[in-house]
Amino acid sequence: MNLGKKLLEVRENAKISRAQMVELLKERGFDVKTYTISKWETGVSKPTIEAFLAICDICRVTDIRQAFVGKRLLCLYDIPVSAGRGNYLDSSSYEMIEVDNTVPSLADYAVRVSGNSMMPRFVDQQIIFIHEQPSLEEGEIGIFCLNNNTYLKKLGKGYLISLNPEYDPIPILEHDEFKVFGKVVG
């Protein structure tokens, strides 16, 4: 990783000139000059950790590891989500996996598919990425918990629907325990 090049990239992505960066850093108590910024960005010298964190804040870098190292880690839960009969998603059993920029930035975690009820779009053992959210719109595909069974399904009006026509819709009854874990984003 070349810190200087990443600092330049982050600053340019934020559409902040070197002169503007100097002023913004001065507002935060850092006495720097334009040539100082240039030295940092060309790798001649490095900012202090305090100045580095201030630059990240100014440029609105929220995930420092991803922005500067290029690595992003997500939880991949060990127990698969069912695209069939339903499995319980154990939130304490997972491994951390490194993902690249092909995984949508909205993804909060990953699960493995178990079964074939969501074929042809999702296949057995495929890893899918989920954006954690408490509700979905009708027609969206997500991860749902119905009476302690976790499903990968499409949300219908009062039903969880499989994409594979061999499977009947699963009714969501008034007395059922029902929760949305999130939306499939990749």
Side-chain angles (χ1 to χ4, degrees):
M1 172 196 71
N2 184 321
L3 179 62
K5 285 182 182 178
K6 291 305 283 187
L7 285 169
L8 173 64
E9 179 183 315
V10 164
R11 182 182 56 76
E12 288 180 340
N13 286 344
K15 299 187 182 344
I16 297 172
S17 71
R18 285 185 179 147
Q20 290 170 318
M21 181 61 74
V22 166
E23 292 306 313
L24 291 167
L25 284 170
K26 280 185 180 179
E27 289 173 12
R28 293 166 188 253
F30 297 94
D31 185 22
V32 296
K33 308 283 186 238
T34 307
Y35 66 82
T36 307
I37 305 292
S38 177
K39 285 182 176 184
W40 291 344
E41 293 176 350
T42 57
V44 171
S45 64
K46 293 181 182 178
T48 65
I49 189 70
E50 293 84 5
F52 171 79
L53 292 174
I55 291 167
C56 289
D57 188 47
I58 290 166
C59 295
R60 293 188 171 89
V61 173
T62 56
D63 187 341
I64 294 171
R65 181 178 178 92
Q66 185 178 359
F68 286 90
V69 182
K71 294 180 181 177
R72 183 169 157 220
L73 300 173
L74 291 178
C75 293
L76 170 61
Y77 287 97
D78 293 340
I79 296 178
V81 64
S82 180
R85 296 185 311 274
N87 291 324
Y88 183 71
L89 183 62
D90 181 357
S91 63
S92 65
S93 183
Y94 60 87
E95 69 175 290
M96 297 302 293
I97 60 170
E98 186 177 322
V99 296
D100 60 22
N101 61 1
T102 62
V103 173
S105 61
L106 285 175
D108 295 309
Y109 62 91
V111 292
R112 198 174 297 278
V113 174
S114 174
N116 67 353
S117 73
M118 293 300 282
M119 285 182 58
R121 184 162 176 197
F122 303 101
V123 298
D124 190 44
Q125 299 304 306
Q126 176 182 352
I127 294 174
I128 58 173
F129 299 96
I130 311 301
H131 173 62
E132 195 171 347
Q133 60 186 65
S135 63
L136 291 178
E137 298 291 324
E138 188 177 323
E140 291 184 315
I141 295 175
I143 304 299
F144 306 93
C145 186
L146 179 62
N147 300 323
N148 289 329
N149 288 311
T150 306
Y151 298 94
L152 164 64
K153 298 291 178 198
K154 180 177 168 182
L155 183 61
K157 195 170 189 85
Y159 290 92
L160 294 178
I161 301 167
S162 299
L163 298 180
N164 184 337
E166 294 178 16
Y167 290 82
D168 292 329
I170 301 168
I172 305 168
L173 305 175
E174 190 175 319
H175 63 276
D176 284 337
E177 192 176 314
F178 181 72
K179 180 181 177 179
V180 175
F181 283 121
K183 180 179 178 177
V184 175
V185 292

